[in-house]
Amino acid sequence: MDTIFAQATASGRAGVSVIRISGPVAWHAAGVLAGDLPAARQAGLRRLKDERGTLLDEALVLTFKSPESFTGEDIVEFHTHGSTAVVQAVLRALSAADGLRLAEPGEFTRQAMENGRLDLAQVEGLADLIDSETEAQRRQALRVLSGALGDKVDAWRSSLIRAASLLEATIDFADEEVPVDVTPEVSLLLQDVQEELEAEISGSYVAERIRTGFEVAIVGPPNAGKSTLLNRLAGRDAAITSEIAGTTRDVIEVRMDLNGLPVTFLDTAGLRDSEDVVESIGIERAVQRAAQADLRVFLATSEDQLPLKPTAEDIVLSPKSDLSGDEKNGISGVTGQGVAELIARIQNTLTDQSASAGLATHERHRAAMMNAQRNLQEVSQVLSLGAGSYDIAAEELRSAIRALETLVGRIDVENLLDEIFASFCLGK
């Protein structure tokens, strides 16, 4: 097992930088620089010196003993002054130590997973927490990092193992009289897991949106004030505005934080019949992106004939109220009339959608659960054929269990690990 080290805080000048060492010889290597080390889970101020005795820095030193550490191995952290020169000097000294090497991106977290400190879903939750920009993203990532999804998977897995054991017990005693029909209990176990899987799969779509961001499309005919409204929402000139119809050709995106929710507003091309080839492509893209958005804001009058129709949840407003005088249902990006009310309506709508968010936040999670769900549907069908098909049902149950185990990284995920950990920074 290698002993690895890296700067665990961001590169560049800072008040404090953290350099982490993890592995079998972490304490010995740290002791070469710091002298005697403080006891586990205690901090001590030490003077760090290289092999020639040159003073590198005065740092706070923390130690953690295996297995009670982030990686599950011995860990030492140097909390140094955050200048680039100090950090580089300490890293050079560690590079010269025997048995140490620079960590690869995400390697500390990978050690934590391989040592059973985190499951794969928690690893992804940690990555999401590091990338979180809004309050909703932070809260969701912490739920996954806490192990809540892994706990749910463990409960499902236990129920399915119980169901499989009942079926296999019946198979083992096929030549004897088995006084108990296990089908009712197995069916009940399957029903409970299937219902919970269905709810979690449904909630995963919203959870993924919280992680990646909701999309709100501003839709309407040309010159309806869509780009002006986008600029008002963004507080800057994000889109070009003019009185010339067809000014917006491509979808313009502005990312915002609305009451803790990540939201990307889309300014789309004006919807109309056009002979201009480039504008027609923009209109086609506008219709596609708007149709895929989580919510649409229509700036249109009753006379406008648009190729995209609003749903019950969409918001329909009268555009350019500064010119039309519509104060009840109008909006103006020029004067700001109705903008605060629009933001409040969008917040309320997306907050209501977020209430159904599940714990699964990635497409990979959803795919694993859907695979398990398909296996369980097969089990239910096979059970109806009677005891003679229990061996097939048991095999389908084992397939469902394996699908759930891939969700938390217990089996068949080696091809995913490099991609997942590559997204981490060097010292994590």
PDB file of all heavy atoms in Angstrom, residues 14-41:
ATOM      1  N   ALA A  14      -2.973  31.947   0.123  1.00  0.00           N
ATOM      2  CA  ALA A  14      -4.095  31.886   1.062  1.00  0.00           C
ATOM      3  C   ALA A  14      -3.564  32.105   2.470  1.00  0.00           C
ATOM      4  O   ALA A  14      -2.349  32.124   2.710  1.00  0.00           O
ATOM      5  CB  ALA A  14      -4.796  30.527   0.966  1.00  0.00           C
ATOM      6  N   GLY A  15      -4.469  32.275   3.408  1.00  0.00           N
ATOM      7  CA  GLY A  15      -4.051  32.424   4.799  1.00  0.00           C
ATOM      8  C   GLY A  15      -3.442  31.148   5.337  1.00  0.00           C
ATOM      9  O   GLY A  15      -2.413  31.166   6.019  1.00  0.00           O
ATOM     10  N   VAL A  16      -4.077  30.007   5.008  1.00  0.00           N
ATOM     11  CA  VAL A  16      -3.615  28.703   5.473  1.00  0.00           C
ATOM     12  C   VAL A  16      -3.738  27.709   4.327  1.00  0.00           C
ATOM     13  O   VAL A  16      -4.715  27.750   3.565  1.00  0.00           O
ATOM     14  CB  VAL A  16      -4.446  28.204   6.683  1.00  0.00           C
ATOM     15  CG1 VAL A  16      -4.042  26.799   7.074  1.00  0.00           C
ATOM     16  CG2 VAL A  16      -4.290  29.143   7.872  1.00  0.00           C
ATOM     17  N   SER A  17      -2.767  26.844   4.191  1.00  0.00           N
ATOM     18  CA  SER A  17      -2.847  25.730   3.245  1.00  0.00           C
ATOM     19  C   SER A  17      -2.689  24.426   4.016  1.00  0.00           C
ATOM     20  O   SER A  17      -1.956  24.375   5.011  1.00  0.00           O
ATOM     21  CB  SER A  17      -1.761  25.829   2.172  1.00  0.00           C
ATOM     22  OG  SER A  17      -2.011  26.905   1.297  1.00  0.00           O
ATOM     23  N   VAL A  18      -3.378  23.384   3.537  1.00  0.00           N
ATOM     24  CA  VAL A  18      -3.336  22.084   4.189  1.00  0.00           C
ATOM     25  C   VAL A  18      -2.638  21.097   3.266  1.00  0.00           C
ATOM     26  O   VAL A  18      -3.001  20.965   2.098  1.00  0.00           O
ATOM     27  CB  VAL A  18      -4.751  21.574   4.541  1.00  0.00           C
ATOM     28  CG1 VAL A  18      -4.671  20.179   5.158  1.00  0.00           C
ATOM     29  CG2 VAL A  18      -5.452  22.539   5.480  1.00  0.00           C
ATOM     30  N   ILE A  19      -1.633  20.415   3.798  1.00  0.00           N
ATOM     31  CA  ILE A  19      -0.930  19.363   3.074  1.00  0.00           C
ATOM     32  C   ILE A  19      -1.199  18.053   3.804  1.00  0.00           C
ATOM     33  O   ILE A  19      -0.954  17.939   5.003  1.00  0.00           O
ATOM     34  CB  ILE A  19       0.584  19.655   2.995  1.00  0.00           C
ATOM     35  CG1 ILE A  19       0.818  20.948   2.210  1.00  0.00           C
ATOM     36  CG2 ILE A  19       1.319  18.480   2.348  1.00  0.00           C
ATOM     37  CD1 ILE A  19       2.237  21.452   2.277  1.00  0.00           C
ATOM     38  N   ARG A  20      -1.718  17.081   3.074  1.00  0.00           N
ATOM     39  CA  ARG A  20      -2.169  15.819   3.681  1.00  0.00           C
ATOM     40  C   ARG A  20      -1.257  14.679   3.263  1.00  0.00           C
ATOM     41  O   ARG A  20      -0.845  14.583   2.108  1.00  0.00           O
ATOM     42  CB  ARG A  20      -3.607  15.536   3.261  1.00  0.00           C
ATOM     43  CG  ARG A  20      -4.172  14.216   3.737  1.00  0.00           C
ATOM     44  CD  ARG A  20      -5.581  14.014   3.216  1.00  0.00           C
ATOM     45  NE  ARG A  20      -6.519  14.911   3.857  1.00  0.00           N
ATOM     46  CZ  ARG A  20      -7.699  15.265   3.330  1.00  0.00           C
ATOM     47  NH1 ARG A  20      -8.048  14.814   2.149  1.00  0.00           N
ATOM     48  NH2 ARG A  20      -8.512  16.066   3.997  1.00  0.00           N
ATOM     49  N   ILE A  21      -0.951  13.792   4.233  1.00  0.00           N
ATOM     50  CA  ILE A  21      -0.191  12.566   3.984  1.00  0.00           C
ATOM     51  C   ILE A  21      -1.025  11.403   4.493  1.00  0.00           C
ATOM     52  O   ILE A  21      -1.550  11.453   5.606  1.00  0.00           O
ATOM     53  CB  ILE A  21       1.170  12.574   4.720  1.00  0.00           C
ATOM     54  CG1 ILE A  21       1.880  13.913   4.549  1.00  0.00           C
ATOM     55  CG2 ILE A  21       2.052  11.429   4.249  1.00  0.00           C
ATOM     56  CD1 ILE A  21       3.057  14.092   5.484  1.00  0.00           C
ATOM     57  N   SER A  22      -1.176  10.356   3.680  1.00  0.00           N
ATOM     58  CA  SER A  22      -1.989   9.209   4.080  1.00  0.00           C
ATOM     59  C   SER A  22      -1.317   7.911   3.656  1.00  0.00           C
ATOM     60  O   SER A  22      -0.885   7.778   2.507  1.00  0.00           O
ATOM     61  CB  SER A  22      -3.379   9.292   3.448  1.00  0.00           C
ATOM     62  OG  SER A  22      -4.145   8.138   3.747  1.00  0.00           O
ATOM     63  N   GLY A  23      -1.235   6.963   4.574  1.00  0.00           N
ATOM     64  CA  GLY A  23      -0.674   5.661   4.248  1.00  0.00           C
ATOM     65  C   GLY A  23       0.150   5.094   5.385  1.00  0.00           C
ATOM     66  O   GLY A  23       0.276   5.702   6.457  1.00  0.00           O
ATOM     67  N   PRO A  24       0.721   3.925   5.191  1.00  0.00           N
ATOM     68  CA  PRO A  24       1.421   3.208   6.262  1.00  0.00           C
ATOM     69  C   PRO A  24       2.587   3.972   6.881  1.00  0.00           C
ATOM     70  O   PRO A  24       2.849   3.842   8.080  1.00  0.00           O
ATOM     71  CB  PRO A  24       1.905   1.927   5.577  1.00  0.00           C
ATOM     72  CG  PRO A  24       1.033   1.769   4.374  1.00  0.00           C
ATOM     73  CD  PRO A  24       0.661   3.132   3.942  1.00  0.00           C
ATOM     74  N   VAL A  25       3.315   4.760   6.079  1.00  0.00           N
ATOM     75  CA  VAL A  25       4.492   5.449   6.629  1.00  0.00           C
ATOM     76  C   VAL A  25       4.232   6.946   6.814  1.00  0.00           C
ATOM     77  O   VAL A  25       5.171   7.733   6.913  1.00  0.00           O
ATOM     78  CB  VAL A  25       5.742   5.219   5.748  1.00  0.00           C
ATOM     79  CG1 VAL A  25       6.068   3.745   5.657  1.00  0.00           C
ATOM     80  CG2 VAL A  25       5.552   5.834   4.359  1.00  0.00           C
ATOM     81  N   ALA A  26       2.947   7.332   6.862  1.00  0.00           N
ATOM     82  CA  ALA A  26       2.611   8.755   6.977  1.00  0.00           C
ATOM     83  C   ALA A  26       3.199   9.371   8.242  1.00  0.00           C
ATOM     84  O   ALA A  26       3.789  10.453   8.212  1.00  0.00           O
ATOM     85  CB  ALA A  26       1.092   8.938   6.946  1.00  0.00           C
ATOM     86  N   TRP A  27       3.047   8.677   9.382  1.00  0.00           N
ATOM     87  CA  TRP A  27       3.530   9.234  10.639  1.00  0.00           C
ATOM     88  C   TRP A  27       5.059   9.323  10.643  1.00  0.00           C
ATOM     89  O   TRP A  27       5.630  10.300  11.125  1.00  0.00           O
ATOM     90  CB  TRP A  27       3.025   8.391  11.817  1.00  0.00           C
ATOM     91  CG  TRP A  27       1.616   8.691  12.197  1.00  0.00           C
ATOM     92  CD1 TRP A  27       0.561   8.868  11.361  1.00  0.00           C
ATOM     93  CD2 TRP A  27       1.108   8.860  13.523  1.00  0.00           C
ATOM     94  NE1 TRP A  27      -0.584   9.116  12.070  1.00  0.00           N
ATOM     95  CE2 TRP A  27      -0.280   9.116  13.393  1.00  0.00           C
ATOM     96  CE3 TRP A  27       1.666   8.785  14.794  1.00  0.00           C
ATOM     97  CZ2 TRP A  27      -1.099   9.331  14.499  1.00  0.00           C
ATOM     98  CZ3 TRP A  27       0.846   8.998  15.897  1.00  0.00           C
ATOM     99  CH2 TRP A  27      -0.519   9.274  15.760  1.00  0.00           C
ATOM    100  N   HIS A  28       5.708   8.304  10.104  1.00  0.00           N
ATOM    101  CA  HIS A  28       7.174   8.324  10.079  1.00  0.00           C
ATOM    102  C   HIS A  28       7.681   9.470   9.197  1.00  0.00           C
ATOM    103  O   HIS A  28       8.585  10.228   9.588  1.00  0.00           O
ATOM    104  CB  HIS A  28       7.709   6.998   9.556  1.00  0.00           C
ATOM    105  CG  HIS A  28       9.190   7.008   9.316  1.00  0.00           C
ATOM    106  ND1 HIS A  28      10.119   6.982  10.341  1.00  0.00           N
ATOM    107  CD2 HIS A  28       9.906   7.075   8.147  1.00  0.00           C
ATOM    108  CE1 HIS A  28      11.333   7.021   9.830  1.00  0.00           C
ATOM    109  NE2 HIS A  28      11.235   7.079   8.510  1.00  0.00           N
ATOM    110  N   ALA A  29       7.095   9.612   7.997  1.00  0.00           N
ATOM    111  CA  ALA A  29       7.524  10.663   7.078  1.00  0.00           C
ATOM    112  C   ALA A  29       7.260  12.047   7.656  1.00  0.00           C
ATOM    113  O   ALA A  29       8.096  12.959   7.518  1.00  0.00           O
ATOM    114  CB  ALA A  29       6.807  10.501   5.740  1.00  0.00           C
ATOM    115  N   ALA A  30       6.112  12.214   8.300  1.00  0.00           N
ATOM    116  CA  ALA A  30       5.798  13.506   8.907  1.00  0.00           C
ATOM    117  C   ALA A  30       6.755  13.808  10.056  1.00  0.00           C
ATOM    118  O   ALA A  30       7.147  14.964  10.263  1.00  0.00           O
ATOM    119  CB  ALA A  30       4.359  13.521   9.387  1.00  0.00           C
ATOM    120  N   GLY A  31       7.124  12.756  10.784  1.00  0.00           N
ATOM    121  CA  GLY A  31       8.046  12.940  11.899  1.00  0.00           C
ATOM    122  C   GLY A  31       9.424  13.402  11.458  1.00  0.00           C
ATOM    123  O   GLY A  31      10.120  14.112  12.191  1.00  0.00           O
ATOM    124  N   VAL A  32       9.838  13.009  10.255  1.00  0.00           N
ATOM    125  CA  VAL A  32      11.139  13.454   9.729  1.00  0.00           C
ATOM    126  C   VAL A  32      11.149  14.969   9.574  1.00  0.00           C
ATOM    127  O   VAL A  32      12.164  15.631   9.833  1.00  0.00           O
ATOM    128  CB  VAL A  32      11.420  12.769   8.379  1.00  0.00           C
ATOM    129  CG1 VAL A  32      12.674  13.360   7.725  1.00  0.00           C
ATOM    130  CG2 VAL A  32      11.575  11.264   8.563  1.00  0.00           C
ATOM    131  N   LEU A  33       9.997  15.552   9.179  1.00  0.00           N
ATOM    132  CA  LEU A  33       9.922  17.006   8.999  1.00  0.00           C
ATOM    133  C   LEU A  33       9.594  17.738  10.291  1.00  0.00           C
ATOM    134  O   LEU A  33      10.140  18.818  10.552  1.00  0.00           O
ATOM    135  CB  LEU A  33       8.850  17.359   7.952  1.00  0.00           C
ATOM    136  CG  LEU A  33       9.282  17.378   6.486  1.00  0.00           C
ATOM    137  CD1 LEU A  33       9.619  15.982   5.998  1.00  0.00           C
ATOM    138  CD2 LEU A  33       8.187  18.010   5.627  1.00  0.00           C
ATOM    139  N   ALA A  34       8.701  17.151  11.107  1.00  0.00           N
ATOM    140  CA  ALA A  34       8.158  17.886  12.253  1.00  0.00           C
ATOM    141  C   ALA A  34       8.746  17.465  13.592  1.00  0.00           C
ATOM    142  O   ALA A  34       8.438  18.083  14.615  1.00  0.00           O
ATOM    143  CB  ALA A  34       6.639  17.712  12.280  1.00  0.00           C
ATOM    144  N   GLY A  35       9.552  16.411  13.626  1.00  0.00           N
ATOM    145  CA  GLY A  35      10.028  15.905  14.906  1.00  0.00           C
ATOM    146  C   GLY A  35       8.945  15.079  15.557  1.00  0.00           C
ATOM    147  O   GLY A  35       8.242  14.319  14.886  1.00  0.00           O
ATOM    148  N   ASP A  36       8.798  15.202  16.868  1.00  0.00           N
ATOM    149  CA  ASP A  36       7.754  14.431  17.537  1.00  0.00           C
ATOM    150  C   ASP A  36       6.377  14.948  17.125  1.00  0.00           C
ATOM    151  O   ASP A  36       6.164  16.150  16.966  1.00  0.00           O
ATOM    152  CB  ASP A  36       7.916  14.514  19.058  1.00  0.00           C
ATOM    153  CG  ASP A  36       7.677  15.919  19.567  1.00  0.00           C
ATOM    154  OD1 ASP A  36       8.371  16.843  19.087  1.00  0.00           O
ATOM    155  OD2 ASP A  36       6.799  16.102  20.429  1.00  0.00           O
ATOM    156  N   LEU A  37       5.442  14.014  16.936  1.00  0.00           N
ATOM    157  CA  LEU A  37       4.094  14.360  16.491  1.00  0.00           C
ATOM    158  C   LEU A  37       3.132  14.389  17.658  1.00  0.00           C
ATOM    159  O   LEU A  37       3.304  13.650  18.639  1.00  0.00           O
ATOM    160  CB  LEU A  37       3.607  13.343  15.455  1.00  0.00           C
ATOM    161  CG  LEU A  37       4.434  13.221  14.165  1.00  0.00           C
ATOM    162  CD1 LEU A  37       3.824  12.157  13.268  1.00  0.00           C
ATOM    163  CD2 LEU A  37       4.525  14.549  13.438  1.00  0.00           C
ATOM    164  N   PRO A  38       2.085  15.214  17.581  1.00  0.00           N
ATOM    165  CA  PRO A  38       1.065  15.207  18.633  1.00  0.00           C
ATOM    166  C   PRO A  38       0.297  13.887  18.617  1.00  0.00           C
ATOM    167  O   PRO A  38       0.304  13.148  17.629  1.00  0.00           O
ATOM    168  CB  PRO A  38       0.164  16.381  18.266  1.00  0.00           C
ATOM    169  CG  PRO A  38       0.381  16.603  16.808  1.00  0.00           C
ATOM    170  CD  PRO A  38       1.805  16.219  16.545  1.00  0.00           C
ATOM    171  N   ALA A  39      -0.373  13.587  19.723  1.00  0.00           N
ATOM    172  CA  ALA A  39      -1.172  12.364  19.807  1.00  0.00           C
ATOM    173  C   ALA A  39      -2.309  12.410  18.795  1.00  0.00           C
ATOM    174  O   ALA A  39      -2.676  13.479  18.295  1.00  0.00           O
ATOM    175  CB  ALA A  39      -1.727  12.209  21.222  1.00  0.00           C
ATOM    176  N   ALA A  40      -2.854  11.222  18.480  1.00  0.00           N
ATOM    177  CA  ALA A  40      -3.937  11.130  17.492  1.00  0.00           C
ATOM    178  C   ALA A  40      -5.099  12.033  17.868  1.00  0.00           C
ATOM    179  O   ALA A  40      -5.486  12.123  19.034  1.00  0.00           O
ATOM    180  CB  ALA A  40      -4.410   9.681  17.371  1.00  0.00           C
ATOM    181  N   ARG A  41      -5.623  12.716  16.872  1.00  0.00           N
ATOM    182  CA  ARG A  41      -6.766  13.618  16.999  1.00  0.00           C
ATOM    183  C   ARG A  41      -6.469  14.814  17.901  1.00  0.00           C
ATOM    184  O   ARG A  41      -7.371  15.399  18.488  1.00  0.00           O
ATOM    185  CB  ARG A  41      -8.012  12.875  17.489  1.00  0.00           C
ATOM    186  CG  ARG A  41      -8.485  11.837  16.497  1.00  0.00           C
ATOM    187  CD  ARG A  41      -9.796  11.189  16.899  1.00  0.00           C
ATOM    188  NE  ARG A  41     -10.285  10.370  15.809  1.00  0.00           N
ATOM    189  CZ  ARG A  41     -11.050  10.793  14.812  1.00  0.00           C
ATOM    190  NH1 ARG A  41     -11.414  12.053  14.767  1.00  0.00           N
ATOM    191  NH2 ARG A  41     -11.434   9.978  13.856  1.00  0.00           N
TER     192      ARG A  41
END
